[in-house]
Amino acid sequence: MVGVPRSTGCRTCIERRVKCDQGRPECRRCRDRNVKCPGYQRRLKFYHQTPASIRSRKQKDSRDVAASSAVHALIPRASMDGKLAPGLATTATDTQMKEVFHYFVMASFPGLFSAWRNRVQLNWLDYVRHHVDTSSQALVWSLRSLSVWHLGRAHNDQEKILASRHLYGRGLEHLIRSLRDPRTATSNLTLMAAIHLGIYEMLDGLGEKSWLIHSRGIGKLFQLRGPEAHRDGFGRTLVVAYRSFLVADAFVCQEPCFLAEHEWRAMFHETLASERSSGKSCQLSEVVELAFNEIVLCPGLFAQTRAFVWQTGGKSEILRESLVAQITRSRDRLVYLEGRMGPLIVNHNKKKVIKREEDVRSPIPPEFVSKVAKFGSYGTRSAIAVLNQLLVLIEADKSRSSLHTKSQRPSSIWKLPAGSIAFPESQEKQLIAYDAHENDSPDRLDQLALSMGMLAIRT
């Protein structure tokens, strides 16, 4: 293919983009500038192209376009509005983004949001709509990534899902910068952005366990901020929104959860008392809170039991009895609380939601009571099953020790491959870890959150 310049002037005038008088043998402009005129011979440019190379280039161009085609809805383009009022297009984009994010929350976390929206001082959507500081680019891009992902998922549009991954990458870059700045590292905005990006990893991560890497960082941020930062205000909203995932994280990694530390548990108890005194609690919300404060102990009890059973040599009977006492105390407490949840589910299913005057003022909307109660009970029963299994393992280890047997303990008991919860037919099942991508239902993370993290395993 040959490319021929359209201008008939000399090459110097063409390169200078000035009108050439085409004088012979040299033009007047070159003569006036005292430079040699190169003349008017046309230079030919040759490009080697075949039908295959043309198709290849078009396919590459279409892929590049696909990666950014959906982003135009949330990234302002150059326009007359943008030239006359630079902030106008950005403001309109952010407004649209907030509304799409509202639909994302109500599709992905309807139960969790509804269970807490009237109990915290500032709920998640109100904060996004009225209090987001756009100076936090990490937060802005994290909101955009989830919003575009939701649009792509809702319309089965792979181009938008691909675009959301690019937005996620932008958000991650800004999050790293925020974490490196001492002024913003532990702020509400940075933690909120980290949670958004962590949720994105659970929804559309690169691997089945990639969410754990992000969750580890979010847990460190909570610990750096400390329990006092989450006693009230938006800090409380942040911790109640993500705490179930911290429990799931601890189970999968077979470590104690830091929320089981005395300061954190005391903070949860005090905020529950504060809810009660301010009229923001109900029977269901109180029972679930008390159950969560026992469930946070489960990952640590699992880790302690595993270490004790695998311990070689002489074992302390005092330590064994202490561990059994801790497990039994938590198990019995959860059995009591699960007994209190049962009637709530039955009464709701019989459409007898309002039993007492306090139920009229329930902070949980009636249409979500059943879901909150169902998964709260589900998580509590699952925790009871885990604790019962730990007691069986300790008793079996005691029997082996008393018989001085040297049989190998099966490693499969402690292995945590991917899976989801299923209640055991016997107490001898193994623990299996949560795969964030196994369940493809739109509200799968909502179910995990309402189960207080116990959907992360099965026994």
Side-chain angles (χ1 to χ4, degrees), residues 33 110 210 269 276 324 341 350 354 396 444:
R33 295 178 65 236
S210 61
H269 271 301
R276 189 182 299 118
V324 168
M341 286 186 197
K350 291 180 178 179
I354 300 175
R444 63 187 185 275

Side-chain angles (χ1 to χ4, degrees), residues 253-408:
C253 296
Q254 304 178 45
E255 298 176 356
C257 180
F258 70 88
L259 295 177
E261 296 171 4
H262 173 73
E263 294 80 4
W264 287 93
R265 294 188 75 217
M267 184 269 291
F268 286 127
H269 271 301
E270 291 165 10
T271 52
L272 176 59
S274 177
E275 276 188 24
R276 189 182 299 118
S277 63
S278 61
K280 291 185 177 181
S281 68
C282 64
Q283 187 178 4
L284 175 60
S285 65
E286 288 190 15
V287 173
V288 171
E289 279 298 284
L290 293 172
F292 178 83
N293 234 10
E294 293 299 324
I295 287 175
V296 292
L297 300 172
C298 290
L301 293 172
F302 174 84
Q304 289 180 60
T305 303
R306 181 180 189 276
F308 184 82
V309 170
W310 276 97
Q311 180 182 336
T312 58
K315 298 183 180 181
S316 168
E317 288 303 314
I318 295 177
L319 181 58
R320 187 195 304 275
E321 292 176 5
S322 174
L323 184 55
V324 168
Q326 293 178 61
I327 296 172
T328 303
R329 185 166 51 248
S330 286
R331 190 271 314 272
D332 292 347
R333 181 67 173 159
L334 286 169
V335 168
Y336 166 74
L337 293 170
E338 200 279 327
R340 290 180 59 186
M341 286 186 197
L344 298 177
I345 300 176
V346 172
N347 288 327
H348 181 83
N349 289 339
K350 291 180 178 179
K351 300 189 182 299
K352 296 179 181 178
V353 183
I354 300 175
K355 299 197 310 175
R356 298 182 297 180
E357 184 180 350
E358 72 172 38
D359 293 323
V360 179
R361 298 179 284 104
S362 173
I364 304 176
E367 61 268 29
F368 290 101
V369 168
S370 179
K371 185 175 186 180
V372 173
K374 173 185 174 182
F375 284 99
S377 178
Y378 197 68
T380 303
R381 287 185 288 127
S382 187
I384 294 169
V386 170
L387 295 176
N388 279 332
Q389 180 176 325
L390 297 182
L391 291 173
V392 169
L393 292 171
I394 294 173
E395 183 62 28
D397 177 74
K398 183 178 181 180
S399 299
R400 282 193 296 267
S401 298
S402 64
L403 295 174
H404 301 287
T405 61
K406 297 182 179 181
S407 60
Q408 292 293 323

